[in-house]
Amino acid sequence: MTTTAPESARSCITTAHRGDVRLWTQTLIPTSKEAPADAEAPSHVFLSRAGYIRKVGAGVYDYLPLAWRVLTKISDIIRDEMDSAGASEFLMPAMAPMDLLEQTGRAEAYGDLLFKLEDRHDRAMYLGPTHEEVITDLVKSAITSYKQLPLNLYQIQTKFRDEFRPRAGLLRCREFIMKDAYSFSTHVEGPGGLNEQYDAMYTAYENIFRRCGLDFSIVEAEAGPIGGSASHEFMVNCDTGEDTIMVCPASGYAANVEKCEIGDRDWSFDHAPAGDLETKHTPNLPGIEGVAEHLGTTPSGMLKTVLFQPEQEQDGVQWVLAVVRGDHDANEGKVRDAVGFACEIADPAEANKAGFTIGYVSPRAAMTIDGCKLLIDKDAANAGDWATGSDKKDHHDVRFNWKRDACDLIGDAAKCTVTDIRNAEAGDPSPRAPGAFLEAKRGIEVGHIFKLGTKYSEAMGFEVPGQDQKRAPVIMGCYGIGVSRTMAACVEMSCDDWGIRWPMPIAPYHVLITVLKPDAELLTQARTIAAELSSKGFDVLIDDRDERPGGKFKDADLIGIPVRFTLSVKSIEAGGVEYKLRTSEGKGEVLPLEDAIAKTLQAAEA
């Protein structure tokens, strides 16, 4: 599902309050012609050059006055919609005791991404990347009855993630600002249930990103390390996005690569062999492309067998062999759903000990090693001429045929299942509209909502008695927005060769008055115009610097204020001010002040 800002979700201008007026020389806007050496993403380049952010250390930034104004406006929109949806704001500490994470197993699951420290009493602490455990511990201590639920609490706070290689400025950093909310219910369906809470947050998020002026998509997503039964991501659409979104143009279905379903595909094991099975020596070959070339085939003519391990043995299953075509990637979430239990990529040492030859595993390994479950992707369950590993180091088999060489496996429904277990790709059949095909888009995740269920309440013993007086784990939801990430994603979405182009609702100022020659008379005129704009709810920045006009115009484009009034002796003699939108090409037009203000009001409503 893709959505853009409507004509008027809620106006970003309110006449109930005066706008802010500020002189450039009274604030800190250190613009620069050069970007930092490590800046590659447009948002990193322009936010640095335009004086919004300054690098303090790897993945850690100062938010300068312009940036703070943007972040404040995003946060105010978030607060407005969260409050309207029935959530209450509060604040948790950034630092928490490690034993909270140990109760849920996430102390280990987060691994090196977790900032860990010890206090002077040698107590293990961590800096929160999210706060599920902290809030569960809090609400557990305060809620004693179903009558106190449902409840939804949220905070806007600094979070920490110890990225090994921070990059792209605010898009992948170590310290970031985030809104996280948590809902608590005693049931799933009906009034006050998890689904009602989730739907309210879904709607609130739609409103938030529309009001921010963003072009975004809502996609089905995997829950990832947060956990839970269902989730959606809110993605800003832009060509420079780091995430791939799969979209059905006919139905509007959208999902990220990890979650995207694939429509029906024909498959059959009933193919005659192309010849005898033959083993070939394939030493020192670089990846599947090199092996395929050596064998006289292509990656799409090979079978790739990926070995998974259940978190614990399930009904005798110790190993899961996921077979996909050589040019496809096995999808861990789909593998999990196909077998019905959690599993992860197998540990090579354990796999080798069990008899697998990692890098050369064939589907036939499931016939010789105990405790194996074979999953075959539909695209891999075809043809009579496959190249595969041979279960022997530095060797591959050619002309593998399912019906001839794995007859006992494919005939045993308990051991073998054919299903969708790979990542979707552009051109795959749509799962929602027969005859349509998936398309790939790029995006940046700015929001993520989860149905957590009882994952955390069960782990931390959070139960309340229901109407029947029986105690049961509380059902939770989790709802996050990257506030600083949203600012950066907006720049990725809306910039040009000269700088940022802010949407009106979250621009640091709505109008920039550029005074070409800041003498007393022109500055007085500028203040008068600014006061008139302020009375109508606009935030105004007056560029009162004694600088060359060309430099001022370049800085105006760079910082990206939506509307520019240029004030000069010539414009006054011509009857007004020069009016120009940041998104328009060429020069502005000289208008009477009343007309320029009227156009600015129209721009604010667009």
Side-chain angles (χ1 to χ4, degrees):
M1 175 181 177
T2 302
T3 183
T4 57
E7 292 266 327
S8 179
R10 279 186 208 178
S11 176
C12 61
I13 304 302
T14 172
T15 56
H17 302 284
R18 293 184 66 86
D20 187 24
V21 176
R22 187 71 51 135
L23 297 175
W24 191 301
T25 56
Q26 290 180 344
T27 187
L28 180 64
I29 311 175
T31 59
S32 172
K33 294 181 180 180
E34 301 295 330
D38 62 340
E40 297 179 353
S43 61
H44 193 185
V45 170
F46 288 131
L47 288 173
S48 298
R49 284 190 54 213
Y52 283 77
I53 63 173
R54 173 186 169 273
K55 183 176 177 181
V56 178
V60 181
Y61 293 87
D62 288 322
Y63 300 111
L64 278 62
L66 289 181
W68 190 245
R69 293 183 66 90
V70 174
L71 294 170
T72 299
K73 290 186 177 185
I74 295 171
S75 298
D76 286 346
I77 291 171
I78 290 171
R79 287 187 172 98
D80 189 23
E81 293 296 338
M82 293 299 293
D83 293 346
S84 295
S88 295
E89 185 174 10
F90 78 130
L91 187 65
M92 290 179 281
M95 184 172 64
M98 188 68 72
D99 62 6
L100 289 177
L101 283 185
E102 290 170 350
Q103 291 180 50
T104 61
R106 290 209 300 172
E108 181 178 350
Y110 262 110
D112 292 337
L113 285 175
L114 198 64
F115 268 102
K116 304 171 186 176
L117 60 155
E118 291 184 350
D119 65 16
R120 65 174 65 194
H121 303 292
D122 298 325
R123 289 176 295 215
M125 310 291 288
Y126 71 96
L127 299 179
T130 58
H131 275 70
E132 284 79 11
E133 289 83 359
V134 178
I135 196 169
T136 303
D137 185 62
L138 165 67
V139 180
K140 175 185 173 183
S141 70
I143 299 297
T144 58
S145 169
Y146 73 93
K147 295 179 182 180
Q148 296 169 274
L149 300 177
L151 179 68
N152 192 325
L153 300 173
Y154 76 97
Q155 65 170 352
I156 297 176
Q157 193 214 47
T158 299
K159 302 298 180 91
F160 302 87
R161 184 175 52 214
D162 199 3
E163 293 282 352
F164 176 71
R165 189 176 290 108
R167 57 186 173 81
L170 301 183
L171 292 176
R172 185 64 62 184
C173 52
R174 303 169 80 205
E175 179 186 280
F176 51 98
I177 300 172
M178 180 177 172
K179 187 284 298 182
D180 49 327
Y182 307 89
S183 67
F184 302 85
S185 306
T186 58
H187 51 283
V188 175
E189 302 290 347
L194 171 63
N195 288 347
E196 182 180 77
Q197 295 284 312
Y198 190 89
D199 291 345
M201 291 296 98
Y202 187 105
T203 299
Y205 275 43
E206 284 187 292
N207 293 340
I208 287 165
F209 294 121
R210 283 198 185 105
R211 288 181 61 188
C212 285
L214 302 178
D215 173 21
F216 65 100
S217 295
I218 306 172
V219 304
E220 295 182 15
E222 277 289 313
I226 301 294
S229 61
S231 72
H232 286 85
E233 288 176 343
F234 293 75
M235 314 278 288
V236 170
N237 301 316
C238 62
D239 293 337
T240 58
E242 61 184 358
D243 297 310
T244 300
I245 307 167
M246 307 306 299
V247 177
C248 169
S251 67
Y253 169 80
N256 64 21
V257 170
E258 291 77 17
K259 184 69 175 179
C260 187
E261 304 167 28
I262 304 173
D264 287 338
R265 291 162 283 157
D266 293 333
W267 64 273
S268 173
F269 289 129
D270 194 19
H271 293 271
D276 293 337
L277 185 70
E278 180 182 355
T279 300
K280 293 198 172 186
H281 193 210
T282 53
N284 305 318
L285 293 174
I288 198 165
E289 289 81 6
V291 174
E293 183 179 1
H294 182 78
L295 296 176
T297 186
T298 62
S300 63
M302 297 188 67
L303 296 179
K304 180 165 55 178
T305 303
V306 184
L307 189 62
F308 290 84
Q309 277 180 291
E311 290 184 356
Q312 57 186 16
E313 186 175 324
Q314 300 276 347
D315 298 325
V317 176
Q318 303 173 49
W319 307 96
V320 177
L321 283 70
V323 182
V324 297
R325 216 169 66 186
D327 58 334
H328 292 155
D329 293 316
N331 182 299
E332 187 170 337
K334 292 181 179 181
V335 169
R336 176 201 63 217
D337 293 343
V339 295
F341 48 78
C343 51
E344 58 187 12
I345 296 292
D347 177 80
E350 292 185 30
N352 285 327
K353 185 177 179 180
F356 296 100
T357 307
I358 295 299
Y360 303 89
V361 179
S362 84
R364 292 183 298 164
M367 300 166 61
T368 59
I369 298 175
D370 292 336
C372 289
K373 172 73 175 180
L374 184 67
L375 300 178
I376 307 172
D377 185 71
K378 294 178 180 180
D379 290 315
N382 270 310
D385 184 17
W386 292 106
T388 78
S390 68
D391 299 310
K392 180 180 178 182
K393 183 176 173 57
D394 291 337
H395 289 80
H396 282 78
D397 291 340
V398 294
R399 295 184 293 279
F400 171 85
N401 176 267
W402 283 110
K403 191 172 182 180
R404 179 192 64 193
D405 300 315
C407 181
D408 291 343
L409 275 176
I410 62 176
D412 187 344
K415 278 193 171 184
C416 176
T417 301
V418 178
T419 187
D420 173 18
I421 57 168
R422 69 168 174 87
N423 286 343
E425 296 180 347
D428 283 334
S430 167
R432 298 289 187 272
F437 298 92
L438 295 172
E439 298 176 355
K441 297 171 60 177
R442 305 296 294 178
I444 298 171
E445 179 192 340
V446 290
H448 205 160
I449 59 178
F450 306 84
K451 292 182 180 179
L452 293 178
T454 59
K455 173 183 172 71
Y456 294 92
S457 55
E458 283 186 343
M460 301 183 72
F462 180 20
E463 299 178 341
V464 297
Q467 285 182 290
D468 58 3
Q469 296 306 306
K470 293 181 180 179
R471 299 185 68 84
V474 171
I475 301 168
M476 295 174 56
C478 172
Y479 318 95
I481 290 177
V483 179
S484 51
R485 189 176 174 87
T486 296
M487 177 172 71
C490 182
V491 177
E492 296 285 329
M493 178 197 82
S494 185
C495 65
D496 56 23
D497 292 341
W498 296 275
I500 304 167
R501 302 194 303 182
W502 290 112
M504 187 74 78
I506 62 173
Y509 296 92
H510 304 113
V511 180
L512 171 66
I513 300 177
T514 300
V515 184
L516 291 194
K517 185 180 180 183
D519 57 25
E521 182 180 352
L522 285 180
L523 284 175
T524 298
Q525 288 271 15
R527 288 189 175 95
T528 301
I529 295 170
E532 179 69 15
L533 289 165
S534 173
S535 70
K536 299 184 183 303
F538 291 105
D539 297 329
V540 184
L541 176 66
I542 300 174
D543 187 351
D544 61 331
R545 297 175 297 166
D546 189 10
E547 301 285 351
R548 296 170 61 90
K552 286 190 169 189
F553 291 146
K554 286 182 179 179
D555 280 350
D557 286 340
L558 182 60
I559 67 174
I561 308 302
V563 177
R564 188 180 80 206
F565 285 12
T566 301
L567 194 60
S568 66
V569 173
K570 286 185 178 181
S571 70
I572 292 175
E573 289 175 350
V577 297
E578 181 184 288
Y579 170 89
K580 184 178 187 299
L581 291 175
R582 174 62 182 85
T583 53
S584 63
E585 301 293 335
K587 294 183 178 180
E589 55 180 332
V590 177
L591 299 171
L593 178 59
E594 294 79 7
D595 292 349
I597 292 176
K599 277 183 168 284
T600 304
L601 284 166
Q602 291 173 7
E605 294 296 330

